[in-house]
Amino acid sequence: MIKLTADDAKEVSEDTVTAALHHSPLINHLLQRRGITTPEDAERFLKPNYDEHIHDPFLMLGMKEAVERVLQAIDNNEKVLIYSDFDADGIPGAVVLHDFFKEIGFENFTNYIPHRHDEGFGVHLDAIDQFEKDGVQLLITIDCGIADVDEVARAREHGIDVIITDHHEPNGKEPDTVATLDPKQKKCNYPFKELCGSGVIFKLVQGVLATRNFGVTEGREKWYLDMVGLATLSDMVPLVGENRVFASYGLKVLQRSRRPGLQKMIRVLKMNQQHLSEDDIGFMISPRINAASRMGVPMDAFTFLSTRDQSVADSAVKHLNEINDERKGVVASMAKAIKQKLKKNNSNGAKEVIVAGDPEWKPSLLGLAANALAEEYDRPVFLWGRDGREALKGSARSNGRVDLVKVMEKARSVLDAYGGHQQAGGFAVSHEKIHMLEDALIDAAKAVGEEELNPATELIDTDLTLDDVTDEVYSELSQLAPFGVGNAKPTFRFPNIIIRRVRSFGKQNNHLELVFHTSTGREVKAIGFFASADDYSANIRKDQPVTLIASMERSYFRGRPELRLRIVDIQ
């Protein structure tokens, strides 16, 4: 039986208890931990409802004008260009509009995704010039464009109307568009500001269908939520409000999706489609979509999601997996080269920061390598490479105690541009100043010093015993899913439990499994992927007592359901 501590019980407000009369003390407690303290909020959170919890698309600034222009293009059979970003938000969003146009019988459109290495993020002048030659009359962006003032002006010079759909922060100057859809615009009164790019384009589709249904069955647009849910879970937007509805319904559609590419990918990766989870999206599917753009073939990811042809889907899935493996190999080689350099120089991360670069490195892969090195060497890492336009660009990752923005601010004399947040960022540097970069960043890091960044209010939700690891408790916890940003997976402390077995597993023996026993002798496994016993402060060996911090999950690997714990820490 789960029992909350006295301190835990104090945290549960009377409103929360009232809100969750039909829920257990554990669920009441977890709701309160998420700031849910009223009956209405509890009902909305636990039972997201598409019909009741989705906002009117026409509350978004520019929606009326955008809908009218799209309908004009359809009525006049104008050439439409769908211009989307190259990540796991922009690409699914492009599929949403692609599928909608196909369904209503509009065929005079083309999808375009910029090359991450050669073109970079956003709309580009060269592309606009080519669109004019191709006879494009309407350009619709997805997940980009809000800052592309000059590019939109060029489009207007060519007689191309532009509708921007984006979710990034405006930079102060507004592009001259037919309509701009972005809930973060200052004058936009849309009630929910945290939609991802795919969420915004979905609102446009809703707006068009609300104005003219084209014979589409009412509610049919819900089937596009597989792409919106995929993007919402991939783009690290908070899973609250409308995003929670999109993620929840999106997973339900994904679990029933008939998209050949998705079905084949799920089989190849030995996942269970019926039980597809946010973890499957985040750790298995999204990385393969992003790998396509990192390796220079973003349209392959678009084809993977949009094709209805079985043979094309086969080829797309095979190619995406090969690309993902290639991406892993390139990142590993990059990290190995940096480690060898550190060893040769006898630094091994002894300096305040690790700075490395190579003109042959693609900037799109640097963040992945920087993240791995920051974890291994416990130092901030700054890596640079050269993009297809000969510009030197880099990525930075923190060790969790150094504010990267402050470091880059102090080193701004050698940087052409920089941005990001405390723990991840990017920068650009000129060829003339690249030799000054390392010394400048080391001096800046010394000046900034270390501090604990973004201290969590409290990672652990409450204490449990191994006897509480049951299907019944897991079923209760599942009411709070899907988990992600703004709705973290519940994390529990299991104090003073005895390790019964320790083993490494996986092709390279790079995963850790611990086995514990409940009071009745039932086995409970705890898994740590890409972890070893040496990664934790505790003495991890058979018959040793430890305090385990973990979340609860159900695995369906190879079709075998297994309730287990996912290790967060061992003390």
Side-chain angles (χ1 to χ4, degrees), residues 524-554:
V524 174
K525 294 180 181 178
I527 302 295
F529 289 109
F530 302 102
S532 70
D534 296 334
D535 293 336
Y536 304 98
S537 59
N539 183 10
I540 299 176
R541 55 185 175 82
K542 186 177 183 295
D543 297 330
Q544 180 72 21
V546 296
T547 292
L548 175 68
I549 299 170
S551 57
M552 203 179 303
E553 66 181 21
R554 179 175 282 132

PDB file of all heavy atoms in Angstrom, residues 524-554:
ATOM      1  N   VAL A 524      12.014  -7.456  -9.179  1.00  0.00           N
ATOM      2  CA  VAL A 524      11.790  -6.149  -9.796  1.00  0.00           C
ATOM      3  C   VAL A 524      13.108  -5.723 -10.437  1.00  0.00           C
ATOM      4  O   VAL A 524      14.136  -5.644  -9.758  1.00  0.00           O
ATOM      5  CB  VAL A 524      11.336  -5.094  -8.773  1.00  0.00           C
ATOM      6  CG1 VAL A 524      11.260  -3.716  -9.428  1.00  0.00           C
ATOM      7  CG2 VAL A 524       9.989  -5.466  -8.174  1.00  0.00           C
ATOM      8  N   LYS A 525      13.075  -5.472 -11.740  1.00  0.00           N
ATOM      9  CA  LYS A 525      14.285  -5.055 -12.446  1.00  0.00           C
ATOM     10  C   LYS A 525      14.352  -3.534 -12.541  1.00  0.00           C
ATOM     11  O   LYS A 525      13.332  -2.855 -12.672  1.00  0.00           O
ATOM     12  CB  LYS A 525      14.308  -5.642 -13.863  1.00  0.00           C
ATOM     13  CG  LYS A 525      14.440  -7.152 -13.902  1.00  0.00           C
ATOM     14  CD  LYS A 525      14.444  -7.655 -15.338  1.00  0.00           C
ATOM     15  CE  LYS A 525      14.541  -9.181 -15.392  1.00  0.00           C
ATOM     16  NZ  LYS A 525      14.506  -9.678 -16.797  1.00  0.00           N
ATOM     17  N   ALA A 526      15.575  -3.013 -12.490  1.00  0.00           N
ATOM     18  CA  ALA A 526      15.827  -1.596 -12.715  1.00  0.00           C
ATOM     19  C   ALA A 526      16.873  -1.489 -13.822  1.00  0.00           C
ATOM     20  O   ALA A 526      17.923  -2.138 -13.759  1.00  0.00           O
ATOM     21  CB  ALA A 526      16.320  -0.917 -11.443  1.00  0.00           C
ATOM     22  N   ILE A 527      16.582  -0.667 -14.831  1.00  0.00           N
ATOM     23  CA  ILE A 527      17.405  -0.578 -16.036  1.00  0.00           C
ATOM     24  C   ILE A 527      18.037   0.811 -16.150  1.00  0.00           C
ATOM     25  O   ILE A 527      17.378   1.824 -15.932  1.00  0.00           O
ATOM     26  CB  ILE A 527      16.549  -0.835 -17.300  1.00  0.00           C
ATOM     27  CG1 ILE A 527      15.881  -2.200 -17.224  1.00  0.00           C
ATOM     28  CG2 ILE A 527      17.397  -0.726 -18.559  1.00  0.00           C
ATOM     29  CD1 ILE A 527      16.825  -3.367 -17.239  1.00  0.00           C
ATOM     30  N   GLY A 528      19.308   0.830 -16.518  1.00  0.00           N
ATOM     31  CA  GLY A 528      19.981   2.080 -16.843  1.00  0.00           C
ATOM     32  C   GLY A 528      20.645   1.934 -18.195  1.00  0.00           C
ATOM     33  O   GLY A 528      21.618   1.186 -18.337  1.00  0.00           O
ATOM     34  N   PHE A 529      20.110   2.608 -19.210  1.00  0.00           N
ATOM     35  CA  PHE A 529      20.691   2.506 -20.548  1.00  0.00           C
ATOM     36  C   PHE A 529      21.934   3.376 -20.657  1.00  0.00           C
ATOM     37  O   PHE A 529      21.997   4.481 -20.113  1.00  0.00           O
ATOM     38  CB  PHE A 529      19.669   2.906 -21.615  1.00  0.00           C
ATOM     39  CG  PHE A 529      18.565   1.899 -21.778  1.00  0.00           C
ATOM     40  CD1 PHE A 529      17.274   2.181 -21.343  1.00  0.00           C
ATOM     41  CD2 PHE A 529      18.818   0.656 -22.343  1.00  0.00           C
ATOM     42  CE1 PHE A 529      16.258   1.251 -21.487  1.00  0.00           C
ATOM     43  CE2 PHE A 529      17.808  -0.281 -22.492  1.00  0.00           C
ATOM     44  CZ  PHE A 529      16.521   0.015 -22.059  1.00  0.00           C
ATOM     45  N   PHE A 530      22.929   2.859 -21.370  1.00  0.00           N
ATOM     46  CA  PHE A 530      24.217   3.534 -21.534  1.00  0.00           C
ATOM     47  C   PHE A 530      24.788   3.940 -20.169  1.00  0.00           C
ATOM     48  O   PHE A 530      25.244   5.063 -19.961  1.00  0.00           O
ATOM     49  CB  PHE A 530      24.083   4.754 -22.452  1.00  0.00           C
ATOM     50  CG  PHE A 530      23.543   4.398 -23.807  1.00  0.00           C
ATOM     51  CD1 PHE A 530      22.210   4.632 -24.126  1.00  0.00           C
ATOM     52  CD2 PHE A 530      24.356   3.785 -24.749  1.00  0.00           C
ATOM     53  CE1 PHE A 530      21.691   4.274 -25.366  1.00  0.00           C
ATOM     54  CE2 PHE A 530      23.858   3.422 -25.995  1.00  0.00           C
ATOM     55  CZ  PHE A 530      22.530   3.670 -26.297  1.00  0.00           C
ATOM     56  N   ALA A 531      24.743   2.985 -19.254  1.00  0.00           N
ATOM     57  CA  ALA A 531      25.222   3.228 -17.891  1.00  0.00           C
ATOM     58  C   ALA A 531      25.958   1.996 -17.388  1.00  0.00           C
ATOM     59  O   ALA A 531      25.750   0.872 -17.858  1.00  0.00           O
ATOM     60  CB  ALA A 531      24.051   3.551 -16.965  1.00  0.00           C
ATOM     61  N   SER A 532      26.834   2.222 -16.421  1.00  0.00           N
ATOM     62  CA  SER A 532      27.545   1.125 -15.757  1.00  0.00           C
ATOM     63  C   SER A 532      27.528   1.379 -14.257  1.00  0.00           C
ATOM     64  O   SER A 532      27.177   2.473 -13.797  1.00  0.00           O
ATOM     65  CB  SER A 532      28.991   1.049 -16.260  1.00  0.00           C
ATOM     66  OG  SER A 532      29.733   2.154 -15.777  1.00  0.00           O
ATOM     67  N   ALA A 533      27.920   0.368 -13.492  1.00  0.00           N
ATOM     68  CA  ALA A 533      27.940   0.513 -12.029  1.00  0.00           C
ATOM     69  C   ALA A 533      28.867   1.631 -11.581  1.00  0.00           C
ATOM     70  O   ALA A 533      28.642   2.271 -10.555  1.00  0.00           O
ATOM     71  CB  ALA A 533      28.357  -0.817 -11.398  1.00  0.00           C
ATOM     72  N   ASP A 534      29.900   1.899 -12.383  1.00  0.00           N
ATOM     73  CA  ASP A 534      30.869   2.935 -12.007  1.00  0.00           C
ATOM     74  C   ASP A 534      30.333   4.346 -12.162  1.00  0.00           C
ATOM     75  O   ASP A 534      30.965   5.305 -11.703  1.00  0.00           O
ATOM     76  CB  ASP A 534      32.140   2.798 -12.858  1.00  0.00           C
ATOM     77  CG  ASP A 534      32.867   1.477 -12.603  1.00  0.00           C
ATOM     78  OD1 ASP A 534      32.709   0.923 -11.495  1.00  0.00           O
ATOM     79  OD2 ASP A 534      33.579   1.011 -13.514  1.00  0.00           O
ATOM     80  N   ASP A 535      29.174   4.493 -12.797  1.00  0.00           N
ATOM     81  CA  ASP A 535      28.627   5.829 -13.024  1.00  0.00           C
ATOM     82  C   ASP A 535      27.958   6.417 -11.790  1.00  0.00           C
ATOM     83  O   ASP A 535      27.586   7.598 -11.800  1.00  0.00           O
ATOM     84  CB  ASP A 535      27.596   5.789 -14.173  1.00  0.00           C
ATOM     85  CG  ASP A 535      28.242   5.487 -15.506  1.00  0.00           C
ATOM     86  OD1 ASP A 535      29.448   5.744 -15.659  1.00  0.00           O
ATOM     87  OD2 ASP A 535      27.535   4.992 -16.409  1.00  0.00           O
ATOM     88  N   TYR A 536      27.795   5.625 -10.749  1.00  0.00           N
ATOM     89  CA  TYR A 536      27.045   6.090  -9.587  1.00  0.00           C
ATOM     90  C   TYR A 536      27.935   6.109  -8.349  1.00  0.00           C
ATOM     91  O   TYR A 536      28.930   5.376  -8.254  1.00  0.00           O
ATOM     92  CB  TYR A 536      25.827   5.188  -9.355  1.00  0.00           C
ATOM     93  CG  TYR A 536      24.932   5.097 -10.569  1.00  0.00           C
ATOM     94  CD1 TYR A 536      25.025   4.008 -11.439  1.00  0.00           C
ATOM     95  CD2 TYR A 536      24.024   6.104 -10.864  1.00  0.00           C
ATOM     96  CE1 TYR A 536      24.215   3.929 -12.568  1.00  0.00           C
ATOM     97  CE2 TYR A 536      23.209   6.023 -11.981  1.00  0.00           C
ATOM     98  CZ  TYR A 536      23.316   4.939 -12.839  1.00  0.00           C
ATOM     99  OH  TYR A 536      22.529   4.870 -13.950  1.00  0.00           O
ATOM    100  N   SER A 537      27.548   6.927  -7.385  1.00  0.00           N
ATOM    101  CA  SER A 537      28.347   7.070  -6.160  1.00  0.00           C
ATOM    102  C   SER A 537      28.192   5.867  -5.241  1.00  0.00           C
ATOM    103  O   SER A 537      29.057   5.606  -4.401  1.00  0.00           O
ATOM    104  CB  SER A 537      27.944   8.353  -5.420  1.00  0.00           C
ATOM    105  OG  SER A 537      26.559   8.333  -5.084  1.00  0.00           O
ATOM    106  N   ALA A 538      27.106   5.136  -5.380  1.00  0.00           N
ATOM    107  CA  ALA A 538      26.862   3.993  -4.506  1.00  0.00           C
ATOM    108  C   ALA A 538      27.776   2.818  -4.850  1.00  0.00           C
ATOM    109  O   ALA A 538      28.287   2.700  -5.966  1.00  0.00           O
ATOM    110  CB  ALA A 538      25.405   3.561  -4.614  1.00  0.00           C
ATOM    111  N   ASN A 539      27.957   1.938  -3.864  1.00  0.00           N
ATOM    112  CA  ASN A 539      28.707   0.699  -4.073  1.00  0.00           C
ATOM    113  C   ASN A 539      27.746  -0.337  -4.640  1.00  0.00           C
ATOM    114  O   ASN A 539      26.966  -0.951  -3.910  1.00  0.00           O
ATOM    115  CB  ASN A 539      29.305   0.232  -2.748  1.00  0.00           C
ATOM    116  CG  ASN A 539      30.151  -1.022  -2.919  1.00  0.00           C
ATOM    117  OD1 ASN A 539      30.446  -1.441  -4.035  1.00  0.00           O
ATOM    118  ND2 ASN A 539      30.535  -1.628  -1.806  1.00  0.00           N
ATOM    119  N   ILE A 540      27.795  -0.517  -5.956  1.00  0.00           N
ATOM    120  CA  ILE A 540      26.800  -1.361  -6.625  1.00  0.00           C
ATOM    121  C   ILE A 540      27.344  -2.770  -6.796  1.00  0.00           C
ATOM    122  O   ILE A 540      28.174  -3.043  -7.671  1.00  0.00           O
ATOM    123  CB  ILE A 540      26.415  -0.747  -7.987  1.00  0.00           C
ATOM    124  CG1 ILE A 540      25.812   0.641  -7.771  1.00  0.00           C
ATOM    125  CG2 ILE A 540      25.429  -1.648  -8.731  1.00  0.00           C
ATOM    126  CD1 ILE A 540      25.486   1.380  -9.028  1.00  0.00           C
ATOM    127  N   ARG A 541      26.897  -3.659  -5.925  1.00  0.00           N
ATOM    128  CA  ARG A 541      27.264  -5.065  -6.022  1.00  0.00           C
ATOM    129  C   ARG A 541      26.206  -5.902  -5.316  1.00  0.00           C
ATOM    130  O   ARG A 541      25.370  -5.369  -4.560  1.00  0.00           O
ATOM    131  CB  ARG A 541      28.640  -5.323  -5.401  1.00  0.00           C
ATOM    132  CG  ARG A 541      28.801  -4.877  -3.983  1.00  0.00           C
ATOM    133  CD  ARG A 541      30.235  -5.067  -3.509  1.00  0.00           C
ATOM    134  NE  ARG A 541      30.452  -4.532  -2.168  1.00  0.00           N
ATOM    135  CZ  ARG A 541      30.153  -5.160  -1.041  1.00  0.00           C
ATOM    136  NH1 ARG A 541      29.611  -6.369  -1.095  1.00  0.00           N
ATOM    137  NH2 ARG A 541      30.382  -4.598   0.129  1.00  0.00           N
ATOM    138  N   LYS A 542      26.253  -7.193  -5.552  1.00  0.00           N
ATOM    139  CA  LYS A 542      25.256  -8.112  -5.001  1.00  0.00           C
ATOM    140  C   LYS A 542      25.214  -8.015  -3.487  1.00  0.00           C
ATOM    141  O   LYS A 542      26.247  -7.903  -2.811  1.00  0.00           O
ATOM    142  CB  LYS A 542      25.586  -9.542  -5.433  1.00  0.00           C
ATOM    143  CG  LYS A 542      24.553 -10.591  -5.062  1.00  0.00           C
ATOM    144  CD  LYS A 542      24.955 -11.951  -5.618  1.00  0.00           C
ATOM    145  CE  LYS A 542      23.901 -13.006  -5.320  1.00  0.00           C
ATOM    146  NZ  LYS A 542      23.754 -13.282  -3.881  1.00  0.00           N
ATOM    147  N   ASP A 543      23.971  -8.039  -2.927  1.00  0.00           N
ATOM    148  CA  ASP A 543      23.682  -8.004  -1.488  1.00  0.00           C
ATOM    149  C   ASP A 543      23.996  -6.656  -0.842  1.00  0.00           C
ATOM    150  O   ASP A 543      23.962  -6.534   0.384  1.00  0.00           O
ATOM    151  CB  ASP A 543      24.438  -9.115  -0.749  1.00  0.00           C
ATOM    152  CG  ASP A 543      24.021 -10.507  -1.197  1.00  0.00           C
ATOM    153  OD1 ASP A 543      22.843 -10.665  -1.589  1.00  0.00           O
ATOM    154  OD2 ASP A 543      24.859 -11.424  -1.189  1.00  0.00           O
ATOM    155  N   GLN A 544      24.279  -5.649  -1.645  1.00  0.00           N
ATOM    156  CA  GLN A 544      24.572  -4.324  -1.111  1.00  0.00           C
ATOM    157  C   GLN A 544      23.279  -3.503  -1.018  1.00  0.00           C
ATOM    158  O   GLN A 544      22.493  -3.449  -1.965  1.00  0.00           O
ATOM    159  CB  GLN A 544      25.568  -3.591  -2.032  1.00  0.00           C
ATOM    160  CG  GLN A 544      25.949  -2.200  -1.580  1.00  0.00           C
ATOM    161  CD  GLN A 544      26.849  -2.214  -0.353  1.00  0.00           C
ATOM    162  OE1 GLN A 544      27.497  -3.219  -0.067  1.00  0.00           O
ATOM    163  NE2 GLN A 544      26.873  -1.108   0.364  1.00  0.00           N
ATOM    164  N   PRO A 545      23.012  -2.836   0.122  1.00  0.00           N
ATOM    165  CA  PRO A 545      21.836  -1.958   0.206  1.00  0.00           C
ATOM    166  C   PRO A 545      22.109  -0.619  -0.486  1.00  0.00           C
ATOM    167  O   PRO A 545      23.188  -0.050  -0.352  1.00  0.00           O
ATOM    168  CB  PRO A 545      21.647  -1.767   1.713  1.00  0.00           C
ATOM    169  CG  PRO A 545      23.012  -1.934   2.283  1.00  0.00           C
ATOM    170  CD  PRO A 545      23.720  -2.930   1.416  1.00  0.00           C
ATOM    171  N   VAL A 546      21.135  -0.114  -1.221  1.00  0.00           N
ATOM    172  CA  VAL A 546      21.254   1.174  -1.895  1.00  0.00           C
ATOM    173  C   VAL A 546      19.923   1.908  -1.804  1.00  0.00           C
ATOM    174  O   VAL A 546      18.883   1.318  -1.470  1.00  0.00           O
ATOM    175  CB  VAL A 546      21.642   1.014  -3.385  1.00  0.00           C
ATOM    176  CG1 VAL A 546      23.020   0.397  -3.528  1.00  0.00           C
ATOM    177  CG2 VAL A 546      20.585   0.210  -4.142  1.00  0.00           C
ATOM    178  N   THR A 547      19.965   3.181  -2.097  1.00  0.00           N
ATOM    179  CA  THR A 547      18.747   3.954  -2.306  1.00  0.00           C
ATOM    180  C   THR A 547      18.630   4.219  -3.799  1.00  0.00           C
ATOM    181  O   THR A 547      19.520   4.823  -4.403  1.00  0.00           O
ATOM    182  CB  THR A 547      18.785   5.280  -1.531  1.00  0.00           C
ATOM    183  OG1 THR A 547      18.723   4.999  -0.126  1.00  0.00           O
ATOM    184  CG2 THR A 547      17.606   6.170  -1.910  1.00  0.00           C
ATOM    185  N   LEU A 548      17.550   3.724  -4.370  1.00  0.00           N
ATOM    186  CA  LEU A 548      17.337   3.837  -5.811  1.00  0.00           C
ATOM    187  C   LEU A 548      16.354   4.965  -6.094  1.00  0.00           C
ATOM    188  O   LEU A 548      15.304   5.074  -5.450  1.00  0.00           O
ATOM    189  CB  LEU A 548      16.781   2.520  -6.357  1.00  0.00           C
ATOM    190  CG  LEU A 548      16.381   2.501  -7.840  1.00  0.00           C
ATOM    191  CD1 LEU A 548      17.602   2.614  -8.731  1.00  0.00           C
ATOM    192  CD2 LEU A 548      15.590   1.231  -8.159  1.00  0.00           C
ATOM    193  N   ILE A 549      16.700   5.814  -7.048  1.00  0.00           N
ATOM    194  CA  ILE A 549      15.792   6.843  -7.541  1.00  0.00           C
ATOM    195  C   ILE A 549      15.447   6.459  -8.960  1.00  0.00           C
ATOM    196  O   ILE A 549      16.341   6.284  -9.815  1.00  0.00           O
ATOM    197  CB  ILE A 549      16.430   8.242  -7.478  1.00  0.00           C
ATOM    198  CG1 ILE A 549      16.768   8.575  -6.019  1.00  0.00           C
ATOM    199  CG2 ILE A 549      15.493   9.296  -8.064  1.00  0.00           C
ATOM    200  CD1 ILE A 549      17.614   9.806  -5.856  1.00  0.00           C
ATOM    201  N   ALA A 550      14.154   6.288  -9.240  1.00  0.00           N
ATOM    202  CA  ALA A 550      13.761   5.720 -10.535  1.00  0.00           C
ATOM    203  C   ALA A 550      12.330   6.105 -10.886  1.00  0.00           C
ATOM    204  O   ALA A 550      11.544   6.522 -10.037  1.00  0.00           O
ATOM    205  CB  ALA A 550      13.891   4.201 -10.491  1.00  0.00           C
ATOM    206  N   SER A 551      12.013   5.952 -12.155  1.00  0.00           N
ATOM    207  CA  SER A 551      10.632   6.068 -12.625  1.00  0.00           C
ATOM    208  C   SER A 551      10.140   4.672 -12.978  1.00  0.00           C
ATOM    209  O   SER A 551      10.923   3.724 -13.072  1.00  0.00           O
ATOM    210  CB  SER A 551      10.551   6.987 -13.843  1.00  0.00           C
ATOM    211  OG  SER A 551      11.388   6.503 -14.881  1.00  0.00           O
ATOM    212  N   MET A 552       8.835   4.555 -13.154  1.00  0.00           N
ATOM    213  CA  MET A 552       8.233   3.266 -13.455  1.00  0.00           C
ATOM    214  C   MET A 552       7.821   3.234 -14.922  1.00  0.00           C
ATOM    215  O   MET A 552       7.303   4.219 -15.438  1.00  0.00           O
ATOM    216  CB  MET A 552       7.018   3.044 -12.553  1.00  0.00           C
ATOM    217  CG  MET A 552       6.629   1.583 -12.349  1.00  0.00           C
ATOM    218  SD  MET A 552       5.189   1.392 -11.228  1.00  0.00           S
ATOM    219  CE  MET A 552       5.777   2.223  -9.737  1.00  0.00           C
ATOM    220  N   GLU A 553       8.082   2.103 -15.596  1.00  0.00           N
ATOM    221  CA  GLU A 553       7.725   2.014 -17.008  1.00  0.00           C
ATOM    222  C   GLU A 553       7.360   0.583 -17.367  1.00  0.00           C
ATOM    223  O   GLU A 553       7.695  -0.359 -16.651  1.00  0.00           O
ATOM    224  CB  GLU A 553       8.891   2.478 -17.891  1.00  0.00           C
ATOM    225  CG  GLU A 553      10.117   1.580 -17.813  1.00  0.00           C
ATOM    226  CD  GLU A 553      11.272   2.082 -18.674  1.00  0.00           C
ATOM    227  OE1 GLU A 553      11.290   3.282 -19.004  1.00  0.00           O
ATOM    228  OE2 GLU A 553      12.148   1.276 -19.018  1.00  0.00           O
ATOM    229  N   ARG A 554       6.674   0.459 -18.495  1.00  0.00           N
ATOM    230  CA  ARG A 554       6.371  -0.868 -19.021  1.00  0.00           C
ATOM    231  C   ARG A 554       7.015  -0.984 -20.391  1.00  0.00           C
ATOM    232  O   ARG A 554       6.768  -0.172 -21.277  1.00  0.00           O
ATOM    233  CB  ARG A 554       4.862  -1.110 -19.105  1.00  0.00           C
ATOM    234  CG  ARG A 554       4.518  -2.492 -19.672  1.00  0.00           C
ATOM    235  CD  ARG A 554       3.031  -2.765 -19.639  1.00  0.00           C
ATOM    236  NE  ARG A 554       2.579  -3.130 -18.307  1.00  0.00           N
ATOM    237  CZ  ARG A 554       1.529  -2.606 -17.696  1.00  0.00           C
ATOM    238  NH1 ARG A 554       0.833  -1.654 -18.278  1.00  0.00           N
ATOM    239  NH2 ARG A 554       1.168  -3.012 -16.499  1.00  0.00           N
TER     240      ARG A 554
END
